[in-house]
Amino acid sequence: MGRSPCCEKDHTNKGAWTKEEDERLINYIKLHGEGCWRSLPKAAGLLRCGKSCRLRWINYLRPDLKRGNFTEEEDEIIINLHSLLGNKWSLIAARLPGRTDNEIKNYWNTHIKRKLYSRGIDPQTHRPLNSLITTCTSNKRGNNSSSNNTQITTAANDNMGFQINMQTTKKKQEVADLLVMSDINNNENEDSNSSSGVTTEEIYPELNLELSIGLPAQHGTISSSCIKVYDKCLKQNGKTGVCLCCCLGFQKSEACSCKSMVMAPRITTAPENNLC
DNA sequence: AATGGTCTCAACCGCGAGAAC
DNA sequence: CGTTCTCGCGGTTGAGACCAT
């Protein structure tokens, strides 16, 4: 019946590789070649699972890897290939000798996305950001209970750009994400005169939250935090288009520079300090 | 100099497809 | 033919480097 497990996970190391482990892996592959990742760790005297060995070799130890910064030419190749292939990093890597899928993926997330945003291009769709007036649909519960929907719409803002220097930690980002939801919840609760301490989930077990928000298109400095929050929202809601200021509820509606673009009820009852 | 926030990237995790039994 | 495993992939995480105050 089937095959035996690839490794005994109780007896394997995790985390960063040591020099000694690297040397063992390199020496073994020099002698025996790549492949047979399942049996490799034991044969090479490594307390690692085969998967980990494969990853270490492919992403770091392979002799044909090109080290150093990506060139402008490589940037453009990646952008073009991504527009054709999407997040098929292995396919993109196959067309860039000496680069790994992991490396390209990291580079995309940390550099190229920002570059595209600053050009006013959405990195997912490769279309101009200011043409996007879209719908974010939070439908985690998978049920469209139309009477309980909240719909909020803003348009793209050409003036604000992405010059939001969000001094947020990862935890703050999570809080910020929750803020979005809780602000919506607050609006819902205000509407229904609900008292505090009761979650929206309790009030609306089948709640579907639908947002329609636009992204600014002006060139500017974008922190990776902004991009992460944007991506997270994008992922959770399935579609494109978030004004972060509004999304995070970081400003009062009357103080927000994109107020003229707000077309529908705002997301938030904002905190006192205006970070916009 | 100390502290706290942000960025980068190596490594891990989980999943799907196909192979082995 | 069904079950289990391997391989490879894309997404995510977290440690440490770097930067700002």
Side-chain angles (χ1 to χ4, degrees):
Chain A
M1 190 198 293
R3 303 199 306 196
S4 56
C6 69
C7 57
E8 293 175 38
K9 289 183 179 175
D10 291 347
H11 305 298
T12 55
N13 292 338
K14 282 190 174 183
W17 280 64
T18 64
K19 266 195 169 181
E20 192 190 342
E21 286 177 312
D22 281 348
E23 281 168 15
R24 278 179 185 269
L25 181 57
I26 292 168
N27 289 336
Y28 183 86
I29 291 176
K30 271 183 185 171
L31 286 173
H32 302 94
E34 288 183 48
C36 295
W37 297 110
R38 181 191 173 208
S39 58
L40 186 148
K42 201 173 181 182
L46 287 162
L47 291 173
R48 295 272 179 177
C49 77
K51 203 171 180 177
S52 180
C53 293
R54 178 185 158 271
L55 211 65
R56 181 66 178 173
W57 174 255
I58 287 174
N59 287 332
Y60 204 79
L61 299 176
R62 251 169 48 199
D64 59 330
L65 287 180
K66 194 191 282 183
R67 291 271 157 214
N69 296 336
F70 282 76
T71 64
E72 274 295 317
E73 192 181 342
E74 284 176 313
D75 280 12
E76 293 307 318
I77 291 171
I78 293 169
I79 291 167
N80 287 334
L81 288 173
H82 187 272
S83 70
L84 295 170
L85 302 168
N87 292 359
K88 301 291 178 192
W89 306 118
S90 58
L91 291 178
I92 295 172
R95 287 161 179 77
L96 284 168
R99 302 295 188 183
T100 69
D101 53 358
N102 204 37
E103 191 179 14
I104 292 169
K105 180 174 61 185
N106 282 332
Y107 187 65
W108 174 269
N109 285 323
T110 55
H111 294 91
I112 297 185
K113 267 189 181 177
R114 197 179 310 174
K115 192 173 180 176
L116 290 178
Y117 278 124
S118 71
R119 289 179 184 176
I121 295 170
D122 181 80
Q124 286 304 120
T125 63
H126 293 266
R127 291 178 182 170
L129 287 168
N130 60 0
S131 70
L132 297 167
I133 299 176
T134 55
T135 299
C136 281
T137 303
S138 178
N139 196 16
K140 285 181 178 174
R141 291 180 176 72
N143 185 310
N144 284 328
S145 177
S146 60
S147 63
N148 289 332
N149 282 357
T150 298
Q151 186 157 344
I152 299 145
T153 305
T154 68
N157 176 6
D158 288 340
N159 297 322
M160 192 176 77
F162 241 120
Q163 293 173 334
I164 310 165
N165 183 18
M166 295 174 59
Q167 302 291 329
T168 57
T169 62
K170 284 179 183 173
K171 282 186 179 174
K172 280 185 181 174
Q173 285 176 26
E174 287 166 14
V175 171
D177 290 343
L178 290 173
L179 254 181
V180 179
M181 302 308 292
S182 71
D183 283 335
I184 293 167
N185 293 349
N186 286 341
N187 289 346
E188 293 284 354
N189 290 346
E190 281 167 18
D191 291 346
S192 60
N193 293 322
S194 298
S195 58
S196 60
V198 181
T199 68
T200 303
E201 287 180 13
E202 288 165 339
I203 301 167
Y204 303 122
E206 301 298 322
L207 178 65
N208 172 53
L209 300 170
E210 189 166 277
L211 310 178
S212 298
I213 306 169
L215 257 180
Q218 190 187 9
H219 296 193
T221 303
I222 307 161
S223 77
S224 62
S225 304
C226 292
I227 295 170
K228 280 178 186 172
V229 173
Y230 170 72
D231 285 344
K232 197 167 183 178
C233 190
L234 176 65
K235 195 167 190 179
Q236 285 175 350
N237 298 323
K239 294 185 181 177
T240 339
V242 178
C243 164
L244 280 168
C245 260
C246 300
C247 178
L248 299 181
F250 276 158
Q251 76 271 335
K252 295 176 181 177
S253 58
E254 61 273 17
C256 177
S257 63
C258 36
K259 62 185 176 184
S260 61
M261 308 306 288
V262 175
M263 290 155 58
R266 293 188 55 73
I267 299 170
T268 174
T269 51
E272 281 305 305
N273 52 332
N274 178 4
L275 303 179
C276 190

